[in-house]
Amino acid sequence: MNFSLFISRRLNLKPDGRSGRSPGIAIAVAGVAISIAVMIITLATVLGFKHAIEEKVEGFDSQIGITAVDYYGRSTTIDNIDIVSRLVEEACEPELAIISPSGSITGVIKTDNDFAGLSFKSIVDRTPPYNFIFNAIVDGAMPTFTDSASVNQVVISRPTATMLRLSPGDRVWAYFVGEDGVRTRRLTVAAIYNTSFAERDKLLCYVAPSFINNLAGITTGQAMRLEVNGLSLDDITSTRQAVQNKLNDAYSSRIIDRMLNVTDVKQTGAVYFSWLELLDTNVAVIIILMTLIAAFTLVSSLFILILERVRLIGLLKALGATDRQTRMIFIYMAMRIVAAGIVVGNAIALSLVFIQKIYHIIPLDPDAYYLSYVPVSLDPWQWLLVNIGAVAVSWLVLIVPSMIISRISPASTMRYE
């Protein structure tokens, strides 16, 4: 067995002749535990926040959107959507991409006392990105928009319902302006949703695809827009470029008769993704600060261990132990402090993350953060990296301060009090 490890395992962290652990050692354990807990909680909070915001942005915008433009650059309908869908599928990963037609039209909902200008967007089922709208229903029930009985039903947001004083079951008039004048529809409020994304909730309501198609004059084989979803966030940009290149080649080869414009959620929601990227900088600053705190407390604890056992150091040297062997004894002892701090820190962090994930005890202002509570999501690999990194950094931090042992001579320790 390694000599240094053998000796360190038989030495107690508390000073000889005293009961209990020294305050310096207790502070070192607490410092490491707090640093580990703060790092894990920070990573879980930032990751949860990014996932929640990305889900909302993707839910409103779709990951990739395909629209048609005419010779003058004006938006128009996509013809031959079967051909276009096949081209898009060839440019995507078939097993991942979900390609579906979509459409929207601007209108006004009016009650006896007020009105609201909204964008009426078609929605079919729980396929991404609209599954989060289904999960955001707070009153009423989401209708089956593929059913003909649901053609004149509408799902509005809580801010819209509050402003217009509407509840599920209420009937309202909706007005749409087109080339042939103003068209009126009588709609029934089927459900109310709330995503806490006030900027979008105030603007969007959801209706059946057939409702949009009837108003916009969309016929079989046409679509106002094609959407691609089901991709990972890292693949969105490359997939958009591949789809655009594929459709450009198809237009040049006269396979399709109109130029198609391809955008992705990172472009349409650039302001949100730029904001989320700033969080990574905050995480880096917090991790650096916590690492410095843990390093300071560890170095202090190592000096305490050395000062409390100066005579032991002299005795070991007198018996023939090398400076390296003696240094390693105290490094191993300090690593026991690190291990205790890591265990305590993980216990604290994982408990708090679990409680917040289940019970949402820490709230947020939805108007400022787009969320009503602090979301948490812990990546196992990040958690493992924090713990491994803590052990590695602690080991490196302890090497230089331990060199003070080489300056201690056996003779001087006999006079040390």
Side-chain angles (χ1 to χ4, degrees), residues 76-78 209-210 212-224:
T76 182
T77 58
I78 301 175
S210 56
I212 298 294
N213 293 340
N214 291 336
L215 284 173
I218 304 298
T219 60
T220 303
Q222 294 182 325
M224 298 181 69

Side-chain angles (χ1 to χ4, degrees), residues 38 67 102 167 258 272 405:
V38 170
T67 55
S102 177
S167 301
R258 291 181 181 177
Y272 301 107
I405 294 175

Side-chain angles (χ1 to χ4, degrees), residues 69-71 79-80 83-84 86-87 245-260:
V69 293
D70 60 14
Y71 179 79
D79 298 324
N80 300 320
I83 296 176
V84 176
R86 177 178 56 80
L87 294 171
N245 293 336
K246 187 74 172 181
L247 295 177
N248 289 345
D249 293 341
Y251 178 72
S252 300
S253 304
R254 301 302 178 187
I255 297 175
I256 55 178
D257 58 357
R258 291 181 181 177
M259 177 67 72
L260 299 178

Side-chain angles (χ1 to χ4, degrees), residues 108-250:
V108 175
I109 288 181
K110 187 179 183 305
T111 63
D112 294 337
N113 301 314
D114 211 339
F115 67 92
L118 299 171
S119 176
F120 291 73
K121 188 174 179 64
S122 64
I123 182 173
V124 180
D125 52 29
R126 289 179 177 267
T127 57
Y130 302 118
N131 51 353
F132 92 103
I133 293 293
F134 281 77
N135 296 331
I137 298 297
V138 294
D139 196 4
M142 181 68 79
T144 305
F145 281 131
T146 54
D147 188 351
S148 59
S150 303
V151 171
N152 291 320
Q153 291 185 320
V154 61
V155 177
I156 61 176
S157 67
R158 174 176 283 174
T160 301
T162 301
M163 182 180 68
L164 299 180
R165 300 178 182 178
L166 294 173
S167 301
D170 291 345
R171 304 193 68 191
V172 295
W173 288 103
Y175 301 89
F176 305 90
V177 179
E179 295 179 355
D180 54 351
V182 178
R183 284 170 290 179
T184 306
R185 296 291 186 274
R186 187 71 161 170
L187 300 178
T188 301
V189 178
I192 297 173
Y193 74 91
N194 181 36
T195 67
S196 299
F197 213 74
E199 293 181 6
R200 302 299 181 90
D201 287 353
K202 293 178 181 178
L203 299 176
L204 285 172
C205 64
Y206 294 91
V207 291
S210 56
F211 182 86
I212 298 294
N213 293 340
N214 291 336
L215 284 173
I218 304 298
T219 60
T220 303
Q222 294 182 325
M224 298 181 69
R225 171 185 170 94
L226 279 180
E227 296 183 344
V228 180
N229 293 288
L231 307 171
S232 66
L233 191 63
D234 296 333
D235 294 334
I236 290 177
T237 300
S238 59
T239 302
R240 174 187 59 79
Q241 294 172 344
V243 170
Q244 185 69 79
N245 293 336
K246 187 74 172 181
L247 295 177
N248 289 345
D249 293 341

Side-chain angles (χ1 to χ4, degrees), residues 28 32 294-306 327-339 390-405:
V32 174
F296 177 78
T297 56
L298 279 177
V299 171
S300 301
S301 67
L302 180 63
F303 286 148
I304 292 172
L305 290 173
I306 292 173
R327 285 169 51 200
M328 293 305 298
I329 291 173
F330 287 91
I331 290 178
Y332 285 138
M333 292 180 67
M335 291 304 293
R336 287 163 58 186
I337 297 174
V338 174
V391 174
V393 171
S394 299
W395 183 273
L396 294 175
V397 165
L398 293 170
I399 290 177
V400 175
S402 66
M403 291 182 178
I404 192 176
I405 294 175

